[in-house]
């Protein structure tokens, strides 16, 4: 969020470019994970079919000598790991590059999968 001021007028600006699109019901959860900036892919902790809980780290990107974990936006299943990300870690990723696609199963399917013994 940015604050700008000129000639006694205040403006507040928010960057919503990485928020999921607003939609009806619970369908507003993002279905993909994109790189928020240029960086190096250090760790890819997911594979297709893997279930993730909200906030669970999917990958780590290094940018400007800092490591940033990117997490699942909600309880989701990994549908696809994009080809440019699968090959190897330590690969450069460009800003806005799509890295992982998600599928959000119905809530009942997630509850059932958590209740099963592993």
């Amino acid at each position: 969020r940015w604050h700008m001021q000129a000639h006694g007028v205040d403006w507040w600006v928010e960057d919503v470019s990485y928020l999921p699109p607003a939609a009806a019901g619970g369908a507003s959860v993002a279905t993909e994970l994109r790189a928020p900036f240029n960086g190096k892919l250090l760790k890819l902790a997911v594979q297709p079919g893997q279930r993730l809980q909200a906030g669970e780290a999917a990958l780590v990107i290094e940018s400007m000598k800092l490591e940033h974990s990117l997490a699942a936006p909600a309880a989701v299943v990994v549908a696809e790991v994009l080809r440019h990300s699968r090959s190897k870690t330590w690969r450069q990723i460009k800003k806005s590059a799509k890295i992982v696609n998600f599928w959000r199963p119905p809530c009942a399917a997630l509850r059932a999968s958590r209740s099963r013994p592993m």
Side-chain angles (χ1 to χ4, degrees), residues 43-112:
K43 180 181 178 185
L44 185 61
V46 297
Q47 55 189 347
Q50 183 176 345
R51 293 180 187 274
L52 297 175
Q53 296 303 316
E56 189 174 347
L59 57 102
V60 178
I61 293 179
E62 178 187 89
S63 180
M64 299 180 68
K65 305 290 183 191
L66 295 172
E67 293 183 8
H68 306 272
S69 294
L70 301 183
V76 294
V77 174
V78 177
E80 177 184 24
V81 176
L82 285 263
R83 186 173 59 242
H84 62 81
S85 307
R86 276 185 295 195
S87 59
K88 291 190 178 200
T89 52
W90 298 94
R91 182 179 178 95
Q92 287 291 81
I93 301 291
K94 292 187 177 185
K95 179 179 180 178
S96 298
K98 191 187 305 185
I99 302 169
V100 178
N101 282 331
F102 296 121
W103 171 69
R104 186 168 186 202
C107 292
L110 283 174
R111 281 194 298 273

Side-chain angles (χ1 to χ4, degrees), residues 18-59:
Y18 293 102
L19 295 178
S28 64
V29 174
T31 58
E32 59 190 29
L33 189 59
R34 290 183 177 264
F37 37 73
N38 294 330
K40 192 184 303 180
L41 182 62
L42 293 183
K43 180 181 178 185
L44 185 61
V46 297
Q47 55 189 347
Q50 183 176 345
R51 293 180 187 274
L52 297 175
Q53 296 303 316
E56 189 174 347
L59 57 102

